[in-house]
């Protein structure tokens, strides 16, 4: 059986293979960080009143779909490369369903109050690379043990930091 | 961030009001925003309703209840959010195949942390402690290293460590606080009252910490699984008892912040902290468990409370990645 790949898994795979393995094997410590927990609680409570705008197709959740764009909204552009591949993955899934869009990544930085926008588009070459990434992810997450920690500076901001380096 | 723990010491009623909690008692009412709250301790009669419990479940707040004797009676344990099928199987397999290894590591951890606590008094003049600290440092590892130990033997070593620890109190505590023996239910003297109360608080604290990991609370290693609904919490809190519960008690006693004549209610068969005693105890306990230190390998500040969760992470790492489990050691602060 091959596991269903999600956009988050693609994002994490680019960011860090260990993160991708841990997350895909349901060791999703992200839920664990206090800020994320509180953020989610407030979000949920607000949602009780206003219904969600997210669009869900299969197992992927899309922030916004306009006639021209699929919009992915992020709070920081810390790892733009990972977000880019995540967005491309969504575009690819949509294309498989006969829906053609371009990708728009909106970075909404709360502190700076400014919006940065990045565009991306699916090309044949990118589809080829994406397919390869997907099969590499499937192979990775079937492994019995996760890859070792990567010892990079991005680890300091990662939700898995304490788990990886304890 | 707002304080993450609420201790309800007086009788009252806890309710949900919009996105806040309200606690009403005879003195009036108090709003507690939910954002920072992670756990609530009900140390007196508190009325609540299902609307409140549903709200706490959404916010993933654990709520602990204590009985009249200040002993733990139960936890509102919201629907588990973090579940990993793979880890559950690995944790069960670890129990089957390597229970003794984990149990020994915990007992060694208890000995190490008792050593740290006693060494402090030894270096401040209690020279009579020398045989005990030597025994803890030199003999206990040897006793535990024998390869064909059964779980009963590991438990016997653990029992001996605690017994010798209790017997050593006479070397550094005032006479009024010495106890003849450890009596649990209900405690019969001031020292037993504080130990019971402190252990119950720490146990509940550990339940909350493990709740925020993927571990299954029912599969334990030192204690028999099923000894309680949260037998893994019984396991993981052990090594923290010397440095959280006992250090709190010794500080309160030696600094005369708790006194036999002023802070206890005594009846014929039992002895309990009174209202002022409870308040003083919780204050000291809470500040100790929230105290932070620079973690040796993580290179960042963590609190002792977080250190409990980190021990749970180490156990996950043993299950998932086979990394050896070494519980928190006060000397190494990791
Ligand atoms: S802390 Fe580093 S190694 Fe661990 S998952 Fe995060 S990025 Fe990967």
């Amino acid at each position: 059986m091959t596991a269903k790949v999600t956009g988050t898994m693609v994002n994490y795979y680019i960011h860090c293979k260990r993160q991708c393995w841990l997350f895909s094997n349901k060791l999703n410590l992200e839920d664990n960080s206090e800020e994320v927990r509180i953020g989610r609680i407030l979000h949920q409570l607000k949602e009780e009143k206003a219904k969600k705008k997210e669009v869900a197709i299969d197992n992927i959740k899309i922030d916004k779909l306009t006639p021209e764009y699929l919009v992915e909204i992020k709070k920081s552009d810390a790892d733009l490369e990972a977000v880019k591949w995540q967005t491309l993955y969504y575009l690819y899934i949509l294309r498989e369903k006969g829906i053609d869009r371009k990708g728009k990544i909106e970075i909404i930085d709360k502190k700076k109050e400014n919006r940065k926008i990045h565009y991306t588009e699916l090309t044949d070459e990118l589809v080829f690379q994406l397919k390869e990434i997907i099969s590499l992810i499937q192979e990775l997450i079937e492994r019995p043990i996760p890859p070792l920690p990567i010892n990079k500076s991005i680890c300091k901001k990662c939700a898995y930091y304490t788990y990886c380096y304890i | 961030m707002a304080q993450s723990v609420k201790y309800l010491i007086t009788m009252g009623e806890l309710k949900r009001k919009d996105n806040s909690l309200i606690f009403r008692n005879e003195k009036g009412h108090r709003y507690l925003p939910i954002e920072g709250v992670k756990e609530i301790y009900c140390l007196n009669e508190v009325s609540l309703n299902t609307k409140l419990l549903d709200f706490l479940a959404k916010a993933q707040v654990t709520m602990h209840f204590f009985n009249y004797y200040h002993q733990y009676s139960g936890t509102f344990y919201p629907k588990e959010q973090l579940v990993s099928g793979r880890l559950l199987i690995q944790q069960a397999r670890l129990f089957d195949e390597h229970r003794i290894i984990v149990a020994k590591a915990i007992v060694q951890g208890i000995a190490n942390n008792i050593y740290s606590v006693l060494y402090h008094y030894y270096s401040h003049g209690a020279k009579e402690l020398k045989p005990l600290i030597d025994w803890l440092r030199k003999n206990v590892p040897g006793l535990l290293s024998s390869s064909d130990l059964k779980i009963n033997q590991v438990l016997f070593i653990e029992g001996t460590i605690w017994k010798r620890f209790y017997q050593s109190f006479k070397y550094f505590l005032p006479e009024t606080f010495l106890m003849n023996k450890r009596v649990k239910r209900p405690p019969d003297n001031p020292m037993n009252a504080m130990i019971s109360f402190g252990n119950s608080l720490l146990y509940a604290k550990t339940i909350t910490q493990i709740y925020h990991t993927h571990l299954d609370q029912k599969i334990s290693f030192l204690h028999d699984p099923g000894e309680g609904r949260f037998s893994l919490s019984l396991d993981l809190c052990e090594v923290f008892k010397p440095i959280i519960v006992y250090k709190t008690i010794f500080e309160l006693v030696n600094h005369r912040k708790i006194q036999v004549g002023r802070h206890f209610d005594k009846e014929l068969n039992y002895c309990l902290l009174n209202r002022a005693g409870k308040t003083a105890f919780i204050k000291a306990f809470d500040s100790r468990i929230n105290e932070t230190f620079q973690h040796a390998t993580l290179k960042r500040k963590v609190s002792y409370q977080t250190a409990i969760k980190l021990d749970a992470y180490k156990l996950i790492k043993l299950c998932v990645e086979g990394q050896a489990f070494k519980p928190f050691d006060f000397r190494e602060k990791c």
Side-chain angles (χ1 to χ4, degrees):
Chain A
M1 194 197 88
T2 47
K4 271 229 159 169
V5 171
T6 68
T8 308
M9 281 155 70
V10 173
N11 181 318
Y12 287 177
Y13 182 82
I14 304 294
H15 190 251
C16 164
K17 297 187 175 46
R18 179 174 164 86
Q19 186 184 27
C20 180
W21 190 98
L22 292 169
F23 176 81
S24 307
N25 282 282
K26 297 282 187 295
L27 286 167
N28 39 340
L29 298 196
E30 206 106 71
D31 288 359
N32 224 356
S33 108
E34 199 56 14
E35 254 166 64
V36 173
R37 189 181 78 91
I38 291 159
R40 198 195 45 237
I41 291 165
L42 292 178
H43 184 72
Q44 273 175 3
L45 291 170
K46 268 184 221 144
E47 253 175 44
E48 277 179 11
K49 290 174 188 159
K51 273 280 166 223
K52 224 179 189 175
K53 277 198 235 114
E54 270 178 4
V55 192
I57 297 171
D58 281 356
N59 62 335
I60 64 166
K61 284 209 183 97
I62 294 167
D63 289 333
K64 217 157 75 179
L65 203 60
T66 71
E68 203 176 348
Y69 292 107
L70 171 148
V71 187
E72 179 66 22
I73 301 167
K74 290 277 176 205
K75 287 199 200 78
S76 103
D77 57 359
D79 197 339
L80 195 60
E81 187 65 12
V83 181
K84 203 187 99 190
W85 283 103
Q86 180 177 6
T87 309
L88 287 170
Y89 176 71
Y90 292 151
L91 292 175
Y92 169 68
I93 301 271
L94 285 186
R95 180 179 286 182
E96 296 283 286
K97 309 246 169 239
I99 306 169
D100 255 313
R101 291 290 188 280
K102 284 183 240 169
K104 187 173 176 180
I105 301 164
E106 291 185 11
I107 312 288
I108 304 170
D109 191 328
K110 269 200 194 127
K111 271 176 271 168
K112 292 177 207 148
E113 289 290 327
N114 60 353
R115 260 166 204 248
K116 272 189 243 160
I117 297 184
H118 303 269
Y119 294 95
T120 180
E121 251 179 272
L122 211 53
T123 63
D124 289 346
E125 168 61 19
L126 288 171
V127 169
F128 181 77
Q129 288 182 32
L130 201 52
K131 282 185 178 160
E132 193 165 280
I133 290 172
I134 293 165
S135 72
L136 286 172
I137 290 176
Q138 281 162 340
E139 185 247 320
L140 167 77
I141 63 181
E142 301 283 323
R143 289 195 218 161
I145 292 175
L148 292 172
I150 57 177
N151 277 312
K152 284 196 188 158
S153 65
I154 53 166
C155 293
K156 292 243 163 62
K157 281 196 194 141
C158 176
Y160 287 102
Y161 177 80
T162 46
Y163 174 75
C164 287
Y165 296 99
I166 186 65
Chain B
M1 197 173 61
Q3 228 204 331
S4 62
V5 194
K6 303 291 169 203
Y7 297 97
L8 305 176
I9 301 177
T10 54
M11 245 188 225
E13 182 186 23
L14 190 67
K15 288 178 83 165
R16 171 182 183 172
K17 181 90 192 351
D18 301 322
N19 287 339
S20 283
L21 301 166
I22 298 188
F23 185 61
R24 253 187 253 279
N25 61 15
E26 54 190 24
K27 284 204 218 119
H29 65 269
R30 189 158 50 110
Y31 274 91
L32 317 166
I34 192 80
E35 280 98 318
V37 180
K38 211 170 166 185
E39 49 180 343
I40 300 172
Y41 288 73
C42 296
L43 298 159
N44 207 324
E45 265 174 57
V46 176
S47 317
L48 30 97
N49 60 20
T50 51
K51 190 174 151 196
L52 172 81
L53 294 179
D54 182 55
F55 182 52
L56 295 180
K58 285 206 179 79
Q60 291 173 45
V61 174
T62 43
M63 190 176 204
H64 310 290
F65 301 93
F66 291 75
N67 67 16
Y68 177 74
Y69 297 109
H70 305 157
Q71 277 165 336
Y72 173 82
S73 61
T75 293
F76 172 66
Y77 198 70
K79 192 172 73 181
E80 280 160 282
Q81 303 281 333
L82 299 174
V83 180
S84 162
R86 180 197 274 260
L87 179 63
L88 177 62
I89 290 165
Q90 285 167 326
Q91 196 186 337
R93 191 179 295 154
L94 182 68
F95 175 83
D96 261 355
E97 293 167 8
H98 300 295
R99 175 181 184 182
I100 294 289
I101 293 180
V102 179
K104 279 179 179 177
I106 293 170
V107 174
Q108 185 62 54
I110 298 168
N112 292 343
N113 289 333
I114 288 183
Y115 173 87
S116 292
V117 170
L118 292 181
Y119 189 83
H120 169 83
Y121 292 101
Y122 169 71
S123 67
H124 284 77
K127 296 298 168 207
E128 301 93 329
L129 290 169
K130 184 89 170 81
L132 179 51
I133 61 173
D134 283 346
W135 180 76
L136 288 168
R137 196 165 56 88
K138 294 181 193 145
N139 300 47
V140 170
L143 291 173
L144 287 170
S145 70
S146 150
S147 59
D148 52 357
L149 285 188
K150 299 274 176 301
I151 190 71
N152 283 347
Q153 293 163 299
V154 176
L155 286 165
F156 179 76
I157 299 170
E158 189 212 357
T160 312
I161 294 170
W162 287 115
K163 206 163 123 207
R164 295 193 64 173
F165 178 53
Y166 300 142
Q167 286 164 352
S168 75
F169 292 2
K170 57 177 176 285
Y171 301 127
F172 56 90
L173 289 186
E175 202 165 339
T176 45
F177 274 100
L178 297 181
M179 57 176 182
N180 295 326
K181 63 179 193 325
R182 176 88 180 90
V183 175
K184 291 184 183 171
R185 297 162 192 262
D188 66 346
N189 65 46
M191 180 53 79
N192 275 323
M194 286 190 288
I195 296 175
S196 288
F197 189 45
N199 283 348
S200 298
L201 288 176
L202 182 66
Y203 173 58
K205 188 61 80 173
T206 309
I207 290 171
T208 298
Q209 292 303 319
I210 299 182
Y211 173 75
H212 291 280
T213 74
H214 300 75
L215 288 168
D216 190 294
Q217 301 259 12
K218 293 188 284 300
I219 305 175
S220 54
F221 301 87
L222 180 64
H223 297 82
D224 275 327
E227 217 169 289
R229 215 176 114 215
F230 305 104
S231 45
L232 185 61
S233 286
L234 288 175
D235 275 12
L236 292 192
C237 76
E238 285 300 336
V239 308
F240 290 90
K241 281 182 183 170
I243 47 185
I244 302 299
V245 177
Y246 288 92
K247 267 169 155 294
T248 298
I249 293 173
F250 300 159
E251 173 205 302
L252 288 167
V253 168
N254 284 329
H255 294 160
R256 300 180 55 77
K257 286 186 200 152
I258 280 199
Q259 291 163 25
V260 172
R262 288 178 45 208
H263 293 102
F264 296 88
D265 285 337
K266 270 195 199 150
E267 299 292 330
L268 198 56
N269 297 320
Y270 65 86
C271 170
L272 297 174
L273 285 157
N274 64 19
R275 168 92 191 271
K278 261 193 284 187
T279 308
F281 192 96
I282 287 170
K283 193 167 165 246
F285 177 93
D286 202 49
S287 71
R288 190 166 290 276
I289 206 159
N290 283 306
E291 196 187 303
T292 60
F293 58 91
Q294 183 71 16
H295 192 281
T297 54
L298 294 178
K299 309 265 182 275
R300 58 170 67 162
K301 286 208 154 176
V302 304
S303 65
Y304 289 99
Q305 173 165 258
T306 304
I308 301 175
K309 190 164 81 184
L310 295 178
D311 269 9
Y313 283 177
K314 292 179 204 163
L315 205 52
I316 297 178
K317 274 185 125 166
L318 174 60
C319 291
V320 175
E321 307 178 50
Q323 180 179 303
F325 174 70
K326 190 172 171 303
F328 182 83
D329 188 329
F330 186 76
R331 285 172 300 181
E332 298 159 19
K333 302 265 173 79
C334 68

